[in-house]
Amino acid sequence: AKAFNEQINREYYSAFLYLAMSAWLNEQDLPGAAKWMYVQYQEELVHAQGLVKYLMLRGDKVDLMPIEAPKKEWTSPLNAFEEALEHERQVTKWIDDLAKMAEEEGDRAARLFLDWYILEQVEEEANGEENVVLWGRAGDAPSGIMMLDVHYGQRGFSPDEIPHLD
Ligand code: OFO
C-alpha cells in the first residue's frame, strides 16, 4: 500500500507537470500543443484515480501526500516534449518496480491490476517518441510549427476505463 501511495503521488505530479507544460505552451501562443498537454494532464488524473480506487477496494489506506511543484518554463516546445518523454520513461521504471514488488510479495491481485498500467506506459512512451520526432522536424520553421500546432489541437479527451475497478 505504501508503494501504491507513492505511485499515486507520482501520477498527480505527472498531472501537474503536464498542466504546467500546457500553461507554458499556451503562453507561447501554441494553443494546439497546450491542448494536447491539457488532455495529458486529464489522463494522469485518471491514472491516479485508478490507483486510489484500487486501494479503496482492497481496504488499504489512501495516504495523499504533498505534490512537488513542477518546473514552469522550457526553452522550446521541443524541449518540453523531450522532458515529457524523459518523464514517461521514469514512470515506466516506477510502474515496473511496483509490479516486481507485487510479484515478490506474491500479491497476484496487485500484479494483475498493474497490467493495465504496464501497457499504458508502452503507449505513453510511443506517443512521447512521436512528439519528439514531430517537434524536432518542425524545428524553428514558423509554418511547420503552425501546422503541427493545429494537428495537436485535434486531440480530445476520452477517459480511459481502467479494468477491474467497477
Ligand atoms: Fe503518463 O502515465 Fe501516468 O504517469
Side-chain angles (χ1 to χ4, degrees):
K2 185 172 179 288
F4 266 75
N5 276 302
E6 281 166 5
Q7 189 57 33
I8 289 166
N9 186 267
R10 290 167 182 152
E11 298 292 347
Y12 280 122
Y13 171 76
S14 301
F16 263 32
L17 177 65
Y18 290 123
L19 186 58
M21 287 178 171
S22 175
W24 182 79
L25 288 161
N26 193 55
E27 284 165 26
Q28 310 312 305
D29 296 323
L30 292 169
K35 186 181 174 199
W36 195 98
M37 287 293 188
Y38 193 87
V39 170
Q40 194 64 29
Y41 152 72
Q42 290 173 298
E43 282 208 355
E44 298 299 349
L45 292 179
V46 171
H47 297 172
Q49 286 156 4
L51 296 165
V52 168
K53 205 165 169 193
Y54 173 79
L55 284 185
M56 291 167 98
L57 272 174
R58 296 290 302 261
D60 285 324
K61 190 168 173 53
V62 174
D63 184 14
L64 298 176
M65 293 173 278
I67 303 162
E68 193 188 326
K71 188 173 161 177
K72 293 175 180 64
E73 289 188 349
W74 289 267
T75 55
S76 64
L78 174 61
N79 176 236
F81 281 104
E82 281 171 341
E83 288 194 10
L85 173 58
E86 203 178 304
H87 178 70
E88 286 304 332
R89 288 180 172 150
Q90 178 60 60
V91 173
T92 299
K93 288 197 183 83
W94 284 325
I95 297 286
D96 285 349
D97 287 347
L98 202 51
K100 269 183 227 149
M101 188 184 290
E103 276 162 18
E104 284 160 14
E105 295 291 320
D107 188 340
R108 292 184 178 187
R111 179 63 193 80
L112 271 175
F113 174 72
L114 288 168
D115 273 353
W116 184 87
Y117 285 84
I118 291 168
L119 292 174
E120 172 69 6
Q121 282 312 116
V122 175
E123 190 187 312
E124 293 282 63
E125 286 198 31
N127 287 343
E129 282 159 17
E130 184 182 271
N131 291 340
V132 168
V133 168
L134 293 178
W135 286 92
R137 269 188 205 150
D140 293 328
S143 57
I145 291 174
M146 209 164 79
M147 278 172 63
L148 205 49
D149 193 58
V150 169
H151 170 68
Y152 273 65
Q154 287 164 4
R155 185 180 189 190
F157 177 57
S158 46
D160 283 317
E161 292 277 340
I162 301 176
H164 314 302
L165 289 176
D166 293 323

